[in-house]
Amino acid sequence: MRKHIPNVITLLRLVAAPFILWLYFRNQIEAAILTTLVASFTDFFDGWAARRLNQVSRTGAILDPVADKVLILTLFGMLYVHAVIPWWLFVISTVRNISQLLSIPVLLGWKKISFHVKPRLIPKWGSALSYVIILLGLMAMSSTLSEHRSSLAILIFATSVVLSVLEVQILVTYWPRFLAIYHGRHDTFE
């Protein structure tokens, strides 16, 4: 079991998405906020544990961004349905995350192309800001923080603008890299 600690941590983030939705639908917003906070910390901790325990693996390198995208897509969808995040952020983020999720079965399953994942700083910031928006959005939906809704809305909007710029930058650099890997001219997503 110790051999797979980083991947288990990543899997916890993956299963957090339906659990957070379940908490939300049970009107346990504060528990959903706490679970989201813990899930967002696993994004840092799984990579740290993999390096610290010398357990960096190909599975973990692929599973980590999948867990991020599933959690972000699920919770952004919930926030969009409740008009907590702007439509344009939802669209840009959904296009980016689904594009990247679909590249895995296309490259590994269909084309049988092996690739590496070495995340750069901008995608890491994109994930971090996504988690910030999710936390702010859940806080805005909390009845115990209702007196702060307008301030939270301003923070969500400002963070959404910055995240949208990052998401567009990620897409602009992602598609050429995907095509290069698809055509055998490169082997690493950065």
Side-chain angles (χ1 to χ4, degrees), residues 20-40:
I20 294 165
L21 281 179
W22 179 78
L23 289 169
Y24 166 75
F25 286 116
R26 294 203 50 180
N27 204 26
Q28 297 179 3
I29 305 298
E30 287 74 19
I33 292 168
L34 180 61
T35 305
T36 302
L37 190 60
V38 170
S40 65

Side-chain angles (χ1 to χ4, degrees), residues 66-88:
V66 168
D68 288 341
K69 284 155 191 33
V70 168
L71 185 60
I72 290 167
L73 281 166
T74 302
L75 298 180
F76 267 32
M78 179 190 71
L79 294 175
Y80 173 71
V81 165
H82 292 283
V84 176
I85 61 172
W87 68 268
W88 38 267

Side-chain angles (χ1 to χ4, degrees), residues 4 11 22 43 51 68 102 106 112 129-130 143 177 180:
H4 303 288
L11 285 172
W22 179 78
D43 190 22
R51 289 184 297 278
D68 288 341
L102 290 177
V106 166
K112 308 282 190 253
L129 286 178
S130 294
S143 59
R177 182 56 58 102

Side-chain angles (χ1 to χ4, degrees), residues 113 175-188:
I113 296 173
W175 278 105
R177 182 56 58 102
F178 170 80
L179 292 172
I181 293 170
Y182 184 88
H183 292 295
R185 295 188 306 266
H186 211 284
D187 71 346
T188 304

